[in-house]
Amino acid sequence: PDTPELPDTGGVPDVPESPLTSDAAGAPVLPDVPDSSELPDIGPSNTPQISDAGGQGDPHFKTWRNEHFEYHGQCDLILAMDSNFADGLGLDVQIRTKVIRYWSYIKSVAIRIGADILEIEGNGDISYQDLRYWINMELRGPVETVGGFPVIFKVPKEKAMMKQTVLIDLSSKYPGQKIVLSTFREFVSVDFKG
């Protein structure tokens, strides 16, 4: 039998509201996730060298153990979580994937360091060329740091170049390390470098 093709819903909604929720005091709240002590032990790492890690494309993932895999589903995923990051400040990196026909891609990422949350969303609408981001639930709010770490926005030289990049420089605590967030149209990538 013929399988009906799912409609392409296209683009990003026009509603510029953060998908995050807030508590009674108005502070942003990420969904509850298990503490790392509650996660299963996957055994010791015998990998002699740690590699860069992250997720990109439709989506392709690379672990710190240099393992590669793909996931073609629609859901929210925890890409990284470390409650001891930066002497207990904490780090959560969550991504949201979206299904289009028979494949999926990373639609958005939310990064929490300490009390700050930076959220970036891809945008397939070529008439809207500004980066869609929220800082602590404020659309395109002023942002210089996330959790005290500098944030650098790399603006393309030509607006027609749809790739936009945001760097979170972790060098003050972790020399040579950074989190690189990029968008190309509706696609979002997250890379842990160094």
Side-chain angles (χ1 to χ4, degrees):
D2 291 335
T3 304
E5 187 173 319
L6 296 174
D8 182 357
T9 58
V12 176
D14 291 328
V15 180
E17 294 181 23
S18 171
L20 297 175
T21 59
S22 59
D23 63 16
V29 176
L30 287 172
D32 287 336
V33 294
D35 185 271
S36 59
S37 64
E38 299 172 25
L39 298 174
D41 182 9
I42 59 170
S45 171
N46 296 323
T47 306
Q49 183 176 358
I50 302 295
S51 70
D52 293 342
Q56 60 191 359
D58 64 345
H60 305 284
F61 296 97
K62 181 180 171 188
T63 70
W64 278 283
R65 293 181 181 181
N66 203 26
E67 299 165 327
H68 297 258
F69 67 94
E70 296 179 8
Y71 173 74
H72 293 286
Q74 181 166 311
C75 65
D76 292 348
L77 298 166
I78 299 169
L79 192 60
M81 179 178 63
D82 182 357
S83 59
N84 296 316
F85 178 80
D87 299 322
L89 202 54
L91 168 75
D92 292 300
V93 180
Q94 296 186 13
I95 60 172
R96 175 167 289 159
T97 60
K98 180 178 179 177
V99 170
I100 297 292
R101 294 180 210 76
Y102 52 88
W103 56 280
S104 65
Y105 64 94
I106 299 172
K107 175 185 176 179
S108 62
V109 59
I111 296 182
R112 182 197 62 79
I113 300 177
D116 292 330
I117 299 175
L118 175 64
E119 184 177 4
I120 294 179
E121 183 175 76
N123 185 0
D125 181 359
I126 61 172
S127 67
Y128 183 85
Q129 296 186 0
D130 292 326
L131 180 65
R132 290 179 60 92
Y133 74 90
W134 293 261
I135 181 69
N136 298 323
M137 296 178 46
E138 181 182 345
L139 177 64
R140 296 185 55 78
V143 56
E144 292 182 11
T145 65
V146 172
F149 293 99
V151 176
I152 302 158
F153 289 83
K154 291 196 167 191
V155 179
K157 293 180 182 175
E158 297 179 34
K159 280 290 192 178
M161 300 298 292
M162 300 288 290
K163 183 173 182 177
Q164 299 188 41
T165 304
V166 178
L167 303 174
I168 302 174
D169 185 358
L170 306 175
S171 294
S172 63
K173 183 73 179 163
Y174 305 101
Q177 296 187 21
K178 59 190 165 196
I179 301 172
V180 181
L181 311 170
S182 300
T183 64
F184 180 77
R185 300 191 181 190
E186 60 264 54
F187 300 95
V188 175
S189 69
V190 181
D191 292 302
F192 301 92
K193 300 285 189 180

